[in-house]
């Protein structure tokens, strides 16, 4: 994990600018955003309690073409909006140097939510997807390390279908993300 991301502060987009500038998947993104609801007031209150933490910053590696970004980023943004924490979206293709410091199992998986202090020291990261969904990809990569194997593409399609199944039909996964972010932020 990168020791310091201060050089990236003020080089990203605001969440609003990122969403408004989407040319792909904007409707799906907004649909997932509109579907968000707090499970209970205590969850919202936790994130609101971070408003006094003026020492935290958040950088989010994302791209509008990514299904995990479209599904997960709205949840992250709803939670972080309650904190009043400065949040910047770093479009992956524009920040490959940063992306390559936050690889997931050696790959460029997004979104990656990076929490840092005002000096840019990285305190924690979340992403690219809820842990129960990521477990499918982790198992797949462990069982299929050779990307050039003749059956790799066939097997990854099966893994991606299983990941969609793990997300579920509704918005239940959103509460998992809120819980994971709460646990992460509680520790810093």
């Amino acid at each position: 994990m990168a020791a310091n991301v201060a050089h990236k502060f003020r080089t990203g987009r605001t969440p609003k600018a990122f969403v408004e500038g989407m040319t792909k998947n904007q409707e799906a993104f907004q649909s997932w955003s509109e579907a968000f609801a707090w499970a209970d007031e205590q969850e919202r209150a936790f994130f609101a309690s971070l408003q006094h933490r003026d020492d935290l910053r958040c950088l989010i590696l994302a791209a509008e073409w990514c299904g995990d970004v479209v599904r997960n980023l709205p949840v992250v943004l709803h939670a972080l909006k309650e904190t009043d924490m400065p949040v910047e979206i770093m479009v992956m293709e524009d920040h490959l140097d940063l992306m390559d410091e936050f690889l997931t199992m050696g790959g460029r998986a997004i979104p990656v939510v990076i929490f840092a202090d005002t000096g840019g020291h990285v305190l924690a990261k979340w992403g690219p997807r809820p842990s129960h969904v990521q477990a499918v990809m982790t198992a797949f990569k462990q069982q299929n390390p050779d990307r050039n194997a003749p059956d790799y593409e066939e097997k990854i399609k099966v893994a991606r279908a299983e990941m969609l199944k793990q997300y579920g039909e509704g918005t239940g996964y959103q509460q998992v993300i809120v819980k994971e972010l709460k646990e992460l932020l509680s520790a810093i």
Side-chain angles (χ1 to χ4, degrees):
M1 190 163 7
N4 195 292
V5 294
H7 65 288
K8 288 295 184 175
F9 289 168
R10 293 173 294 288
T11 65
R13 299 180 186 175
T14 65
K16 182 179 181 195
F18 176 78
V19 175
E20 288 176 353
M22 291 176 85
T23 58
K24 296 178 187 135
N25 298 317
Q26 186 182 55
E27 197 172 298
F29 186 98
Q30 290 176 322
S31 179
W32 285 115
S33 184
E34 289 165 9
F36 178 82
W38 291 98
D40 60 58
E41 193 53 38
Q42 287 179 326
E43 296 286 345
R44 183 197 297 253
F46 167 78
F47 287 93
S49 76
L50 297 175
Q51 289 176 4
H52 74 282
R53 294 282 308 265
D54 62 356
D55 61 323
L56 297 176
R57 304 289 179 268
C58 181
L59 301 178
I60 303 172
L61 284 156
E64 64 186 68
W65 51 261
C66 176
D68 289 308
V69 168
V70 170
R71 187 180 282 259
N72 299 335
L73 187 55
V75 181
V76 172
L77 294 179
H78 275 287
L80 294 180
K81 184 176 182 185
E82 295 295 319
T83 70
D84 287 339
M85 183 185 310
V87 175
E88 294 181 69
I89 309 290
M90 317 302 283
V91 175
M92 183 185 82
E93 291 82 0
D94 297 338
H95 298 276
L96 291 176
D97 58 327
L98 183 64
M99 179 75 253
D100 288 345
E101 292 184 50
F102 292 92
L103 299 177
T104 302
M105 299 182 67
R108 292 176 173 166
I110 50 178
V112 176
V113 182
I114 305 161
F115 295 103
D117 63 19
T118 54
H121 295 79
V122 175
L123 304 171
K125 80 172 189 91
W126 179 91
R129 46 190 78 91
S131 57
H132 73 285
V133 178
Q134 179 61 29
V136 175
M137 184 56 71
T138 299
F140 168 79
K141 287 204 172 190
Q142 288 170 344
Q143 295 164 9
N144 301 279
D146 182 6
R147 293 179 68 102
N148 297 318
D151 59 351
Y152 184 88
E153 288 302 317
E154 182 182 316
K155 288 181 176 179
I156 199 165
K157 284 180 186 171
V158 171
R160 288 181 176 141
E162 180 58 29
M163 287 169 54
L164 281 174
K165 193 188 302 181
Q166 290 298 316
Y167 270 118
E169 292 293 319
T171 58
Y173 78 94
Q174 292 184 339
Q175 298 315 313
V176 174
I177 294 173
V178 168
K179 180 179 175 279
E180 290 178 358
L181 288 172
K182 180 180 176 185
E183 288 171 4
L184 200 63
L185 288 167
S186 293
I188 59 175

